[in-house]
Amino acid sequence: MPLLAVASRWLYRARGLNLAEHCVFNAYVFAQQNLFSLPFLLLIQWWSSGLGLIMSAYYILCLAYYAWVLRVVVARTWWGAALGAIAITMVTYMLSWLCRGLLVIAVGSS
């Protein structure tokens, strides 16, 4: 979640929100997305062969919700919010992979 805040702060730095404010609204979004996952987890238990479809629906719902929150908080247009949600998610994954890679290198060299 802190990586989400860093990514959203970096992509929406011109909006005047500081990192703490980005942490707060990303914590809110992250908590809501966890609540959204509960029915999907139950559905996976009953229909395990549809895992790909269920997870695709979950990710689309999460991105749509994140775009809606971005539209309310920082984005000026719906396109900006939708592209921002996708970009923030991609940047967060890249930062996560970078941190994990650096950790593996640090642990492996000691």
Side-chain angles (χ1 to χ4, degrees), residues 56-91:
S56 295
Y58 170 69
Y59 288 134
I60 289 169
L61 175 66
C62 286
L63 280 174
Y65 181 70
Y66 196 40
W68 180 72
V69 171
L70 286 173
R71 175 66 176 104
V72 171
V73 176
V74 291
R76 292 191 177 126
T77 64
W78 281 107
W79 279 110
L83 293 176
I86 293 168
I88 289 169
T89 302
M90 290 173 58
V91 168

Side-chain angles (χ1 to χ4, degrees), residues 9 13 15 17-18 24 27 31 33-34 39-40 42 46 52 59 62-63 68-69 71 76 79 83 88 101 103:
R9 169 77 170 112
R13 60 188 169 273
R15 301 301 187 263
L17 298 177
N18 60 30
V24 168
Q33 288 174 345
N34 283 330
F40 288 95
L42 290 173
W46 290 321
Y59 288 134
C62 286
L63 280 174
W68 180 72
V69 171
R71 175 66 176 104
R76 292 191 177 126
W79 279 110
L83 293 176
I88 289 169
L103 183 64

